[in-house]
């Protein structure tokens, strides 16, 4: 088993709750579903064994090395947990530059969708794609995302909208997870992304098909970790969300839900009361929604890259954080509304546009994001027994430097599950 002692770490950030503070450190904890505070300690060493973090401490008190231990001098670099991206549509076929150019000339996202573009454009392309081609183009994206320091991510289906094509997407995600065991890659069924043309606007029949026939098969085959739905006018309504919650409950699958991107329709309250694990988007949010979130356990996931690219309002991260909620931020990486996944740009947008402070944004993309994927015991923070998925970053004045240079990827070395990539 490999054992690496990392010495001369300038600062360790993103320590797990419950870890003891060392001199010069700065550590606080919250109870319940309250947000965490980014915690750090200075001038430290850290021991990694196999895939895991064994212990860490101040350089002034560095223990002698266990036998057969490799030593790596971080030379003052700072360390934080690898990013966790809890909301992506990374598996898709092709891109949609033509639509983007139409939007630059004044067409809205909704107008493009009404003309047969948008999600349906990606559906036509996905249905035609061979499995191997879909896997190849998805792998290229995954290679890029991991090189930028994302160690765990969620990938949704939702561009197939028929049984075989959705299966092809889910198998692609599972194959990527198999090919990259040093990452945590979770698979979400989003067959309820849009109503396919075969159902001629008959959402009820399609939802019945998906919830009563398709999802049970995929669950049985072990292809899905979560289920999801796009609740929006023209897509799926509250009764469809109820049907999905019921199906998921019977199968023991956690629910994620796209809600409140363009309209408030009561979906947040319904999802929270139905025990959903996350509600994602929330660009539009009223007081009743906020109250529901405060009274529940559901994670709010915000997607500033989508607002940036579509030019729609941003979610109020500030309001949610002030309410004490565990705010999560993801990329929403997809070919239509957020064709980018640079976590450092997402971090900057979280500060500039969602109103989060840099340390809050870092928590939103690590420890809280891991919670929203049920990975808190392994990923998203630095602590004893956690996976050694770590970013070593040079040139930081303080943690805010990461968000201050927007879109810039700093000098970075990435370790995933105990090995440098
Ligand atoms: Zn999405």
């Amino acid at each position: 088993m490999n054992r690496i002692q990392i010495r001369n770490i300038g600062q360790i950030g993103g320590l797990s709750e419950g870890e003891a503070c060392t001199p010069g450190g700065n550590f606080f904890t919250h109870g319940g579903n309250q947000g965490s505070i980014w915690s750090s300690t200075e001038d430290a060493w850290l021991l990694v064994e196999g895939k895991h973090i064994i212990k860490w401490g101040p350089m002034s008190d560095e223990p002698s090395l266990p036998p057969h231990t490799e030593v790596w001098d971080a030379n003052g670099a700072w360390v934080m947990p690898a990013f966790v991206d809890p909301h992506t549509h990374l598996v898709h076929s092709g891109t949609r530059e033509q639509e983007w150019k139409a939007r630059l000339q004044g067409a809205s996202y909704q107008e493009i969708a009404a003309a047969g573009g948008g999600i349906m454009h990606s559906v036509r392309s996905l249905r035609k794609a061979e499995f191997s081609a879909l896997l190849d183009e998805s792998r290229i994206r995954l290679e890029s995302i991991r090189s930028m320091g994302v160690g765990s991510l969620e990938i949704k289906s939702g561009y197939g909208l028929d049984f075989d094509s959705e299966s092809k997407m889910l198998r692609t995600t599972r194959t990527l997870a198999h090919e990259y065991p040093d990452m945590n890659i979770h698979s979400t069924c989003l067959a309820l992304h849009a109503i396919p043309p075969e159902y001629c606007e008959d959402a009820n029949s399609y939802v019945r098909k998906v919830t009563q026939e398709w999802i049970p098969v995929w669950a049985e085959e072990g292809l899905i970790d979560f289920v999801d739905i796009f609740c929006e006018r023209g897509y799926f309504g509250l009764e469809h969300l109820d049907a999905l919650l019921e199906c998921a409950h019977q199968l023991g699958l956690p629910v994620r839900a796209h809600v409140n991107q363009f309209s408030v329709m009561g979906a947040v309250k319904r999802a929270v009361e139905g025990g959903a694990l996350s509600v994602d988007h929330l660009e539009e949010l009223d007081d009743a929604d906020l109250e529901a979130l405060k009274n529940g356990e559901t994670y709010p996931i915000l997607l500033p890259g989508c607002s940036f690219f579509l030019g729609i309002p941003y979610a109020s991260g500030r309001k949610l954080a002030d309410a004490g909620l565990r705010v999560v931020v993801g990329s929403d990486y997809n070919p239509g509304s957020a064709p980018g996944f640079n976590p450092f740009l997402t971090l900057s947008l979280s500060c500039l546009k969602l109103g989060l402070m840099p340390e809050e944004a870092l928590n939103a993309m690590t420890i809280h994001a891991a919670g929203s994927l049920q990975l808190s015991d392994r990923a998203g923070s630095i602590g004893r027994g956690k996976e050694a998925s770590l970013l070593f970053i040079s040139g930081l004045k303080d943690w805010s430097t990461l968000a201050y240079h927007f879109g810039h990827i700093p000098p970075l070395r990435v370790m995933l599950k105990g090995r440098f990539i």
Side-chain angles (χ1 to χ4, degrees), residues 6-12 22 41-46 56-59 74:
I6 300 156
R7 310 184 65 236
N8 296 318
I9 297 169
Q11 203 170 115
I12 301 178
T22 57
T41 186
E42 292 173 0
D43 195 20
W45 57 270
L46 182 144
W56 51 268
M59 282 304 293

Side-chain angles (χ1 to χ4, degrees), residues 163 167 171 174 216-224:
F163 183 80
S167 299
R171 281 183 214 291
R174 280 293 193 244
V217 172
W218 294 322
E220 173 77 23
E221 291 180 8
L223 286 175
I224 49 180

Side-chain angles (χ1 to χ4, degrees), residues 285-338:
L285 194 78
D286 67 11
D287 290 346
D289 294 330
L290 186 62
E291 211 46 41
L293 284 165
K294 278 161 70 175
N295 293 326
E297 293 288 319
T298 304
Y299 284 88
I301 300 187
L302 312 183
L303 308 163
C306 173
S307 297
F308 173 71
F309 193 72
L310 290 185
I312 63 173
Y314 286 84
S316 180
R318 185 71 265 141
K319 206 175 187 180
L320 294 163
D322 284 344
L325 295 163
R326 300 163 298 182
V327 176
V328 180
V329 172
S331 70
D332 194 20
Y333 177 53
N334 77 81
S337 61

Side-chain angles (χ1 to χ4, degrees), residues 217-233:
V217 172
W218 294 322
E220 173 77 23
E221 291 180 8
L223 286 175
I224 49 180
D225 303 304
F226 306 108
V227 292
D228 199 342
I229 182 170
F230 185 34
C231 291
E232 188 55 58
R233 297 193 204 294

Side-chain angles (χ1 to χ4, degrees), residues 24-273:
N26 159 29
F27 191 75
F28 306 92
T29 60
H30 279 309
N33 69 347
Q34 293 270 294
S36 307
I37 288 181
W38 181 257
S39 54
S40 58
T41 186
E42 292 173 0
D43 195 20
W45 57 270
L46 182 144
L47 178 66
V48 170
E49 206 172 271
K51 295 177 184 173
H52 299 105
I53 297 162
I54 299 301
K55 52 188 172 180
W56 51 268
M59 282 304 293
S60 58
D61 191 21
E62 189 185 17
S64 55
L65 297 178
H68 311 296
T69 303
E70 198 184 319
V71 177
W72 185 65
D73 192 332
N75 208 11
W78 291 23
V79 180
M80 61 170 276
F83 288 111
V84 177
D85 193 337
H87 184 133
T88 84
H89 305 254
L90 179 137
V91 172
H92 57 262
S93 173
T95 48
R96 302 199 325 233
E97 288 88 340
Q98 290 303 326
E99 287 178 9
W100 181 57
K101 285 191 277 185
R103 277 209 297 110
L104 291 177
Q105 291 173 310
S108 72
Y109 189 67
Q110 288 90 336
E111 284 165 354
I112 289 166
I119 293 171
M120 283 307 149
H121 178 114
S122 294
V123 170
R124 287 191 294 276
S125 176
L126 188 289
R127 286 179 174 183
K128 277 188 255 160
E130 296 285 341
F131 174 79
S132 60
L134 184 63
L135 180 61
D136 286 348
E137 69 172 300
S138 302
R139 189 188 296 111
I140 290 168
R141 295 179 199 125
L142 188 71
E143 282 283 347
S144 182
I145 217 168
R146 74 194 236 112
S147 72
M148 291 186 203
V150 175
S152 303
L153 79 163
E154 179 259 19
I155 303 176
K156 301 176 193 297
S157 70
Y159 293 120
L161 308 185
D162 64 34
F163 183 80
D164 289 345
S165 306
E166 286 289 307
S167 299
K168 180 167 64 183
M169 292 188 78
L170 296 168
R171 281 183 214 291
T172 302
T173 297
R174 280 293 193 244
T175 304
L176 291 172
H178 182 73
E179 289 182 0
Y180 294 87
D182 57 1
M183 301 179 77
N184 301 305
I185 300 176
H186 281 206
S187 166
T188 297
C189 168
L190 179 59
L192 300 180
H193 197 188
I195 306 163
E198 297 78 13
Y199 283 79
C200 308
E201 306 293 309
D202 182 2
N204 293 338
S205 303
Y206 181 59
V207 170
R208 263 198 304 280
K209 183 65 111 181
V210 170
T211 56
Q212 294 177 14
E213 297 179 30
W214 298 357
I215 289 177
V217 172
W218 294 322
E220 173 77 23
E221 291 180 8
L223 286 175
I224 49 180
D225 303 304
F226 306 108
V227 292
D228 199 342
I229 182 170
F230 185 34
C231 291
E232 188 55 58
R233 297 193 204 294
Y235 293 84
F236 298 101
L238 295 184
E239 68 277 26
H240 305 130
L241 173 60
D242 286 341
L244 184 69
L245 285 163
E246 171 64 24
C247 150
H249 183 69
Q250 282 177 13
L251 296 168
L253 289 168
V255 175
R256 325 182 74 79
H258 287 67
V259 297
N260 293 39
Q261 181 176 1
F262 300 106
S263 11
V264 173
M265 49 196 262
V268 171
K269 188 163 186 282
R270 197 69 73 92
V272 171
E273 288 175 359

